[in-house]
mmCIF file of all heavy atoms in Angstrom:
data_model
loop_
_atom_site.group_PDB
_atom_site.id
_atom_site.type_symbol
_atom_site.label_atom_id
_atom_site.label_comp_id
_atom_site.label_asym_id
_atom_site.label_seq_id
_atom_site.Cartn_x
_atom_site.Cartn_y
_atom_site.Cartn_z
ATOM 1 N N VAL C 4 -26.381 15.823 -33.768
ATOM 2 C CA VAL C 4 -25.859 17.152 -34.079
ATOM 3 C C VAL C 4 -26.813 17.933 -34.982
ATOM 4 O O VAL C 4 -27.084 19.117 -34.764
ATOM 5 C CB VAL C 4 -24.476 17.025 -34.757
ATOM 6 C CG1 VAL C 4 -24.008 18.371 -35.266
ATOM 7 C CG2 VAL C 4 -23.474 16.444 -33.779
ATOM 8 N N SER C 5 -27.349 17.232 -35.973
ATOM 9 C CA SER C 5 -28.221 17.901 -36.931
ATOM 10 C C SER C 5 -29.462 18.472 -36.239
ATOM 11 O O SER C 5 -29.894 19.586 -36.509
ATOM 12 C CB SER C 5 -28.605 16.900 -38.023
ATOM 13 O OG SER C 5 -29.878 17.134 -38.495
ATOM 14 N N ARG C 6 -30.007 17.696 -35.287
ATOM 15 C CA ARG C 6 -31.180 18.182 -34.562
ATOM 16 C C ARG C 6 -30.825 19.407 -33.717
ATOM 17 O O ARG C 6 -31.549 20.393 -33.701
ATOM 18 C CB ARG C 6 -31.761 17.081 -33.670
ATOM 19 C CG ARG C 6 -32.690 17.659 -32.622
ATOM 20 C CD ARG C 6 -33.560 16.675 -31.922
ATOM 21 N NE ARG C 6 -34.058 17.291 -30.688
ATOM 22 C CZ ARG C 6 -35.179 16.954 -30.092
ATOM 23 N NH1 ARG C 6 -35.955 16.031 -30.586
ATOM 24 N NH2 ARG C 6 -35.558 17.560 -28.977
ATOM 25 N N VAL C 7 -29.692 19.352 -33.012
ATOM 26 C CA VAL C 7 -29.325 20.462 -32.132
ATOM 27 C C VAL C 7 -29.129 21.744 -32.943
ATOM 28 O O VAL C 7 -29.592 22.815 -32.557
ATOM 29 C CB VAL C 7 -28.050 20.125 -31.333
ATOM 30 C CG1 VAL C 7 -27.620 21.304 -30.471
ATOM 31 C CG2 VAL C 7 -28.284 18.910 -30.447
ATOM 32 N N GLN C 8 -28.491 21.602 -34.111
ATOM 33 C CA GLN C 8 -28.296 22.785 -34.957
ATOM 34 C C GLN C 8 -29.632 23.383 -35.373
ATOM 35 O O GLN C 8 -29.822 24.596 -35.353
ATOM 36 C CB GLN C 8 -27.480 22.409 -36.197
ATOM 37 C CG GLN C 8 -25.994 22.321 -35.885
ATOM 38 C CD GLN C 8 -25.197 21.676 -36.994
ATOM 39 O OE1 GLN C 8 -25.761 20.972 -37.837
ATOM 40 N NE2 GLN C 8 -23.897 21.880 -36.994
ATOM 41 N N LYS C 9 -30.572 22.497 -35.761
ATOM 42 C CA LYS C 9 -31.892 22.992 -36.157
ATOM 43 C C LYS C 9 -32.598 23.628 -34.968
ATOM 44 O O LYS C 9 -33.300 24.627 -35.116
ATOM 45 C CB LYS C 9 -32.724 21.843 -36.717
ATOM 46 C CG LYS C 9 -32.292 21.481 -38.125
ATOM 47 C CD LYS C 9 -33.222 20.459 -38.739
ATOM 48 C CE LYS C 9 -32.702 20.087 -40.121
ATOM 49 N NZ LYS C 9 -32.585 18.670 -40.327
ATOM 50 N N GLU C 10 -32.428 23.027 -33.783
ATOM 51 C CA GLU C 10 -33.070 23.587 -32.596
ATOM 52 C C GLU C 10 -32.571 24.992 -32.312
ATOM 53 O O GLU C 10 -33.350 25.880 -31.982
ATOM 54 C CB GLU C 10 -32.789 22.701 -31.385
ATOM 55 C CG GLU C 10 -33.688 21.500 -31.288
ATOM 56 C CD GLU C 10 -33.715 20.958 -29.857
ATOM 57 O OE1 GLU C 10 -33.976 21.741 -28.927
ATOM 58 O OE2 GLU C 10 -33.471 19.761 -29.683
ATOM 59 N N LEU C 11 -31.249 25.189 -32.426
ATOM 60 C CA LEU C 11 -30.670 26.504 -32.155
ATOM 61 C C LEU C 11 -31.262 27.546 -33.103
ATOM 62 O O LEU C 11 -31.703 28.610 -32.681
ATOM 63 C CB LEU C 11 -29.144 26.463 -32.312
ATOM 64 C CG LEU C 11 -28.368 25.677 -31.259
ATOM 65 C CD1 LEU C 11 -26.880 25.710 -31.564
ATOM 66 C CD2 LEU C 11 -28.612 26.235 -29.878
ATOM 67 N N ALA C 12 -31.284 27.201 -34.384
ATOM 68 C CA ALA C 12 -31.808 28.132 -35.386
ATOM 69 C C ALA C 12 -33.274 28.434 -35.109
ATOM 70 O O ALA C 12 -33.711 29.594 -35.145
ATOM 71 C CB ALA C 12 -31.631 27.546 -36.782
ATOM 72 N N ASP C 13 -34.014 27.375 -34.791
ATOM 73 C CA ASP C 13 -35.451 27.517 -34.585
ATOM 74 C C ASP C 13 -35.749 28.357 -33.343
ATOM 75 O O ASP C 13 -36.639 29.208 -33.345
ATOM 76 C CB ASP C 13 -36.056 26.109 -34.428
ATOM 77 C CG ASP C 13 -37.561 26.147 -34.532
ATOM 78 O OD1 ASP C 13 -38.042 26.721 -35.529
ATOM 79 O OD2 ASP C 13 -38.240 25.635 -33.626
ATOM 80 N N CYS C 14 -34.991 28.129 -32.283
ATOM 81 C CA CYS C 14 -35.249 28.820 -31.015
ATOM 82 C C CYS C 14 -34.954 30.318 -31.142
ATOM 83 O O CYS C 14 -35.668 31.148 -30.593
ATOM 84 C CB CYS C 14 -34.394 28.207 -29.906
ATOM 85 S SG CYS C 14 -34.656 28.946 -28.293
ATOM 86 N N ASN C 15 -33.891 30.642 -31.884
ATOM 87 C CA ASN C 15 -33.479 32.044 -31.941
ATOM 88 C C ASN C 15 -34.228 32.855 -32.992
ATOM 89 O O ASN C 15 -34.079 34.063 -33.066
ATOM 90 C CB ASN C 15 -31.972 32.129 -32.181
ATOM 91 C CG ASN C 15 -31.200 31.578 -30.995
ATOM 92 O OD1 ASN C 15 -31.699 31.606 -29.861
ATOM 93 N ND2 ASN C 15 -30.011 31.053 -31.243
#
Side-chain angles (χ1 to χ4, degrees):
Chain C
V4 172
S5 147
R6 163 166 162 154
V7 177
Q8 281 168 340
K9 284 187 183 129
E10 279 201 53
L11 290 179
D13 193 52
C14 181
N15 294 333

